Amino acid sequence: MKKLSLCLMLCFLFLGNLAAQWSVGGKVGVDWSKMTYPMEDMDTHFKAGATLGAVANYQLNDWLDLQGELLYSQHNYKDDLVVDPAGGYQSEVLKVKAHYIDVPLLVKFYPLKHDSGFNLEAGVQPGFFLAQSAKLGKEDFSDCGDRNPVNCALLVGASFHAPKNWFIDLRYAFGLTHAFEGGDFKMQSLQLSLGYFFW
């Protein structure tokens, strides 16, 4: 009986220590995106979109964390185009709104140890395309290209975990894969988020 009690106590201590290394929360933020074109010196303008979702963090030691996220993100952009309607050339603005489920996978490094809250982060972000809408001037232009179903990006950034479980992060995403089928178009985005760890 004593051996069983000792074994149960050790199991609870181990599970309690394991649970203490995990943090789970949510975040909301803004994503400024643009599309780079295959032609030199040509790309679109940044346009803001929303991002929100869940975060899970595992503390390896005083210096390193692993973090995964599941986010709904809007990767929007706009471009100035010259069109040729009846009556002559004129400039129109193309506005594109794209909806994705993003799954950032990050390694977080704490140069001043974990207690400082400040960390640098890097990782990859697979993104799964859901839908897009677009307008050229006032006209619907949603068929402006066939999106690839999966878009991958390289993430680099910094984050600060404040007291009371709040955190803020700033990242830049460099597109690694083609956003559209049949063309060398890649997305880039600047992401600013505010989050809270519930546990």
Side-chain angles (χ1 to χ4, degrees):
M1 188 67 179
K2 290 182 179 179
K3 289 183 179 179
L4 179 60
S5 299
L6 179 62
C7 182
L8 288 173
M9 187 174 67
L10 290 173
C11 286
F12 281 123
L13 286 172
F14 173 75
L15 291 175
N17 182 59
L18 184 63
Q21 294 174 292
W22 281 97
S23 300
V24 178
K27 64 185 293 187
V28 62
V30 183
D31 182 301
W32 292 274
S33 299
K34 71 174 182 177
M35 189 74 68
T36 60
Y37 289 168
M39 295 76 77
E40 288 187 13
D41 302 322
M42 288 189 66
D43 55 18
T44 63
H45 305 291
F46 283 102
K47 192 173 187 299
T51 182
L52 61 103
V55 181
N57 180 280
Y58 182 75
Q59 182 181 342
L60 290 172
N61 52 45
D62 285 340
W63 306 95
L64 293 173
D65 285 6
L66 300 178
Q67 185 163 301
E69 302 174 6
L70 182 64
L71 307 174
Y72 161 74
S73 300
Q74 294 176 343
H75 296 297
N76 307 333
Y77 65 91
K78 61 182 179 179
D79 194 11
D80 299 318
L81 300 180
V82 176
V83 296
D84 183 19
Y89 290 97
Q90 66 184 49
S91 177
E92 294 282 6
V93 177
L94 172 67
K95 296 179 180 179
V96 180
K97 180 182 290 186
H99 307 269
Y100 279 82
I101 295 295
D102 289 330
V103 189
L105 303 170
L106 299 154
V107 176
K108 301 169 74 70
F109 171 62
Y110 291 77
L112 304 174
K113 287 194 174 182
H114 212 276
D115 290 342
S116 70
F118 173 73
N119 62 88
L120 304 173
E121 51 188 27
V124 294
Q125 177 178 278
F128 302 91
F129 173 66
L130 298 176
Q132 75 174 1
S133 59
K135 283 192 173 181
L136 181 60
K138 296 182 179 180
E139 300 294 325
D140 182 74
F141 201 64
S142 296
D143 58 348
C144 59
D146 294 325
R147 295 257 180 175
N148 281 319
V150 180
N151 182 72
C152 291
L154 174 68
L155 294 176
V156 293
S159 177
F160 179 71
H161 290 195
K164 306 297 183 182
N165 294 343
W166 291 98
F167 67 90
I168 185 169
D169 57 49
L170 180 66
R171 301 173 185 163
Y172 200 86
F174 300 88
L176 299 175
T177 56
H178 298 165
F180 291 96
E181 296 179 2
D184 189 16
F185 297 88
K186 294 180 180 179
M187 286 195 304
Q188 297 186 34
S189 62
L190 179 67
Q191 305 165 0
L192 177 64
S193 301
L194 177 67
Y196 184 82
F197 284 118
F198 301 102
W199 167 45

